[in-house]
């Protein structure tokens, strides 16, 4: 029921590129451009402007219309899911945002079972840092997110109590604690852990950026620790679930966090999203452990 021109508009925004949107919709670039031009003519507004550095960007009115278009897409998805459920069918679209480390643990176990039960459901997974996951959930481009706290004003469900630790391939570190402001070696920190630290670190404390090697994901950080490049700063849950054996050390300051699932309203998830949440809790042995 979603207007085709609106669907194309949404895809252009999400991919940030007309060519990529055309590939995603299995159509030609001229067809996409023509549909966009017709939509702008119909609404009598300019939805995009071109930027030499960043490509096509939404105009101010385009941003407002995109939010409304996403609401239409969500409503469209809910209508079909409700109708399917009434007929004892599970079909439709499920959109999830997740930290990469949680994709390989919480998401993966639930996905396998979900796919066996509901093969006709299309799952769109988007990965990102905590800030990126929060933005996707807040802007309603996904049904819910899997990430680490803080979840700010959004409705959240704590799944795991976690904390940041230091890991090393060496058997002894002086004082047996890692002070983040004066570390004894290079700190290898993955982006999700870094964002969490920066959000929670006390104002009187500061990181020594000259001794930080920032990497994209936990797996990269772990490999660098394994190669004795430096000390890894990572969540305890991530280390345990990846099954890596390192020497663990507490950090100063102590940083606790929650691993959780969150959305704008957990009580108003689509039937498909609610079922996936149920399986996440059912299929993961780490849920609500310390």
């Amino acid at each position: 029921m979603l207007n085709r021109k609106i669907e194309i508009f949404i895809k252009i925004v999400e991919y940030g590129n007309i060519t990529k949107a055309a590939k995603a919709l299995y159509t030609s670039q001229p067809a996409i451009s023509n549909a966009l031009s017709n939509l702008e003519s119909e609404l009598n507004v300019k939805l995009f402007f071109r930027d030499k550095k960043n490509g096509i960007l939404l105009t101010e009115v385009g941003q407002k219309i995109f939010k409304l278009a996403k609401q239409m897409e969500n409503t469209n998805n809910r209508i079909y899911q409700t109708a399917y459920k009434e007929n004892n069918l599970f079909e439709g679209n499920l959109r999830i945002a997740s930290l990469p480390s949680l994709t390989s643990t919480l998401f993966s176990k639930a996905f396998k079972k979900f796919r066996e039960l509901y093969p006709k459901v299309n799952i769109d997974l988007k990965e990102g840092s905590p800030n990126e996951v929060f933005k996707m959930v807040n802007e309603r481009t996904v049904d819910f997110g899997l990430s680490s706290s803080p979840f700010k004003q959004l409705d959240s469900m704590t799944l795991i109590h976690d904390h940041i630790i230091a890991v090393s391939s060496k058997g002894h570190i002086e004082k047996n604690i890692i002070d983040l402001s004066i570390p004894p070696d290079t700190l290898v920190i993955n982006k999700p852990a870094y964002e969490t630290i920066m959000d929670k670190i006390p104002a009187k404390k500061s990181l020594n950026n000259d001794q930080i090697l920032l990497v994209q994901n936990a797996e990269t950080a772990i490999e660098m620790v394994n190669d004795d490049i430096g000390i890894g700063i990572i969540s305890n849950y991530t280390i345990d679930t990846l099954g890596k054996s390192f020497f663990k050390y507490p950090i100063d300051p102590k940083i606790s966090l929650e691993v959780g699932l969150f959305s704008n309203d957990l009580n108003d998830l689509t039937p498909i999203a609610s079922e996936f949440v149920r399986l996440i809790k059912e299929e993961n042995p780490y849920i609500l452990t310390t």
Side-chain angles (χ1 to χ4, degrees):
M1 290 183 287
L2 189 66
N3 183 295
R4 178 64 172 173
K5 286 177 285 189
I6 295 295
E7 180 186 5
I8 288 172
F9 169 59
I10 290 172
K11 288 298 181 184
I12 294 173
V13 177
E14 290 180 343
Y15 284 93
N17 183 287
I18 290 178
T19 301
K20 291 180 180 179
K23 289 181 179 179
L25 292 169
Y26 302 101
T27 188
S28 66
Q29 182 175 332
I32 293 291
S33 298
N34 187 53
L36 175 60
S37 178
N38 289 340
L39 180 60
E40 289 181 325
S41 297
E42 184 178 326
L43 298 176
N44 195 29
V45 295
K46 198 70 175 175
L47 297 171
F48 295 96
F49 68 92
R50 291 194 174 275
D51 180 87
K52 289 184 178 179
K53 183 178 180 181
N54 300 306
I56 59 172
L57 299 174
L58 283 170
T59 61
E60 185 175 348
V61 68
Q63 293 174 8
K64 294 177 181 178
I65 291 175
F66 176 65
K67 289 182 179 180
L68 294 172
K70 290 301 295 183
Q71 291 175 19
M72 291 173 63
E73 184 183 52
N74 289 336
T75 300
N76 187 72
N77 191 29
R78 284 175 178 274
I79 289 172
Y80 278 107
Q81 286 191 34
T82 301
Y84 290 142
K85 188 177 181 181
E86 184 66 19
N87 290 283
N88 297 315
L89 298 172
F90 254 65
E91 296 183 31
N93 300 309
L94 174 61
R95 304 158 307 163
I96 302 173
S98 175
L99 298 184
S101 60
L102 299 182
T103 298
S104 60
T105 54
L106 297 178
F107 175 87
S108 182
K109 290 181 175 63
F111 176 81
K112 182 179 179 181
K113 184 68 174 180
F114 189 89
R115 183 60 83 199
E116 291 173 356
L117 294 172
Y118 313 111
K120 292 186 178 181
V121 173
N122 176 55
I123 299 179
D124 181 15
L125 172 67
K126 300 179 185 296
E127 293 185 313
S129 69
N131 289 340
E132 291 166 341
V133 172
F134 174 83
K135 182 180 179 183
M136 285 186 273
V137 174
N138 191 47
E139 294 180 350
R140 301 178 186 271
T141 58
V142 295
D143 295 298
F144 65 85
L146 289 167
S147 186
S148 57
S149 59
F151 306 115
K152 303 178 184 178
Q153 79 278 9
L154 298 180
D155 192 13
S156 64
M157 174 194 305
T158 298
L159 301 176
I160 298 159
H161 300 294
D162 197 10
H163 59 282
I164 301 293
I165 62 170
V167 293
S168 174
S169 59
K170 299 176 182 178
H172 175 71
I173 289 181
E174 189 178 356
K175 297 182 180 180
N176 287 321
I177 189 169
I178 303 299
D179 187 331
L180 297 184
S181 60
I182 48 171
D185 199 351
T186 298
L187 299 181
V188 183
I189 311 179
N190 63 303
K191 190 175 180 181
Y194 183 78
E195 288 186 4
T196 298
I197 291 169
M198 295 306 294
D199 186 81
K200 292 178 176 289
I201 197 168
K204 62 182 179 181
K205 281 278 188 179
S206 61
L207 299 184
N208 186 340
N209 290 321
D210 291 336
Q211 287 188 263
I212 291 177
L213 180 59
L214 190 62
V215 298
Q216 189 66 30
N217 55 57
E219 288 80 4
T220 300
I222 287 172
E223 286 304 314
M224 288 187 167
V225 172
N226 193 55
D227 291 338
D228 201 21
I229 291 174
I231 297 169
I233 305 298
I234 196 167
S235 85
N236 187 66
Y237 167 75
T238 300
I239 286 292
D240 286 348
T241 53
L242 291 177
K244 294 295 183 178
S245 179
F246 289 118
F247 295 97
K248 295 183 178 181
Y249 300 92
I251 64 171
D252 181 30
K254 295 180 179 179
I255 298 177
S256 298
L257 63 140
E258 311 299 323
V259 172
L261 184 151
F262 65 108
S263 74
N264 285 274
D265 186 352
L266 289 174
N267 292 319
D268 192 36
L269 293 175
T270 66
I272 289 175
S274 295
E275 177 64 5
F276 200 95
V277 170
R278 182 188 71 80
L279 289 175
I280 285 175
K281 294 188 288 184
E282 182 180 287
E283 296 295 318
N284 286 280
Y286 293 96
I287 296 296
L288 294 178
T289 62
T290 57

